[in-house]
Amino acid sequence: MSGSVKAVVGRALRETGTALRVSSGAEIFTRHRPKVMFNGVKPFETNDTFVAPTASVIGDVTNWDESSVWYGSVVRADSGHPITIGFSSNIQDRSVLNTLPASVETLKTGFPPICHVGHFVSVGPGSVLVSCRIEDIVDIGDKCTVMEGAIVEKEVILEPGTVVPAYARIPSGERWGGNPAQFIAKLNPDEKKGIKEKAERIHVTAMEHQVEFLPVGSTYLHLEDLEKKGTQAVQG
C-alpha cells in the first residue's frame, strides 16, 4: 500500500472514530503544548510573556518581556537557527515565523540565517517571516511576507499583503506596500508614535488573556467540568 493511500485510510479511520465517540456522547479535549522543547533546547520566556494555548513555540526561541504569541501562530526554531521576539512585540493570530534549514549556515550577506523581531513590533495576522531582521518599532500588516535576508529598518509600516523579497531593505521612517514591496510615503511623527502605541495596546490585551490561563494550563478545568456533567471525556 502506498504512503498516500495509507494517509487517506488513516485519516478516514480517525474521523470515523471521532464521529462515533461524539455520537455516543463523549466529548473530546486536547492537551496541545504551546511550548515545545526541540533537540534539548527549550523556548525561553519571561513571566509576562503571553503564549496563547493554541499557539506553538518550538525550539530555540527567546521571548522578551511583554511579548505575545497569539492563537494559531507558529514560531518554529528547529533548524539550529534561533528566533528572537523583542520587548512588547506581538505575533498575531495564525502567523508563522521560521528559519532556513540547518544546511544553510550563512546568508548571502554573510550573516547567520536567524529570525530577529525587535522591540515594539506588531506582526499582523497570517503573516510569514523567514530568516529576516525586523528592527524596533515596526508595524507589519495582515498577511505580509518577509523573506530570508530581508531587513526592515526601524519606524516602518508595511501595508497588508506586502511581500518583501529576499535580501531587500526597507529604509527607516517609511510606509511600503505591494508585491513586491514598493515605497508609498514617508511617515509623519504621529504615525511613528502610533506604531509603538499599537504594540503597547496589544500587550495590555495579552495580559487580559493571560489571567484566563494558569501557568500549568487550564485543560484540567475543562476536564473537571465534563466530569461534573457526567460526560465521558476522551483525550484528542
Side-chain angles (χ1 to χ4, degrees), residues 18 104 153 171 225:
T18 299
V104 181
E153 297 184 355
D225 287 340

Tab-separated table of all heavy atoms in Angstrom, residues 18 104 153 171 225:
chain	number	residue	atom	x	y	z
A	18	THR	N	-13.735	9.437	15.641
A	18	THR	CA	-14.176	10.676	16.290
A	18	THR	C	-15.685	10.824	16.203
A	18	THR	O	-16.356	11.183	17.183
A	18	THR	CB	-13.498	11.887	15.626
A	18	THR	OG1	-12.077	11.772	15.768
A	18	THR	CG2	-13.954	13.190	16.277
A	104	VAL	N	21.727	25.484	5.531
A	104	VAL	CA	22.135	26.850	5.189
A	104	VAL	C	22.760	27.479	6.434
A	104	VAL	O	22.065	27.840	7.377
A	104	VAL	CB	20.936	27.694	4.715
A	104	VAL	CG1	21.391	29.102	4.346
A	104	VAL	CG2	20.240	27.024	3.537
A	153	GLU	N	13.964	48.243	8.505
A	153	GLU	CA	14.547	49.146	9.488
A	153	GLU	C	13.477	49.727	10.414
A	153	GLU	O	12.279	49.505	10.227
A	153	GLU	CB	15.332	50.248	8.780
A	153	GLU	CG	16.513	49.709	7.985
A	153	GLU	CD	17.352	50.803	7.350
A	153	GLU	OE1	16.970	52.000	7.443
A	153	GLU	OE2	18.407	50.480	6.753
A	171	PRO	N	13.894	51.037	4.105
A	171	PRO	CA	14.526	52.099	4.898
A	171	PRO	C	13.648	52.602	6.035
A	171	PRO	O	12.418	52.505	5.999
A	171	PRO	CB	14.769	53.207	3.864
A	171	PRO	CG	14.696	52.531	2.536
A	171	PRO	CD	13.700	51.424	2.710
A	225	ASP	N	-14.998	20.048	34.440
A	225	ASP	CA	-16.363	20.439	34.091
A	225	ASP	C	-17.103	19.294	33.390
A	225	ASP	O	-18.288	19.045	33.656
A	225	ASP	CB	-16.349	21.670	33.177
A	225	ASP	CG	-15.970	22.934	33.928
A	225	ASP	OD1	-16.082	22.937	35.171
A	225	ASP	OD2	-15.553	23.905	33.273
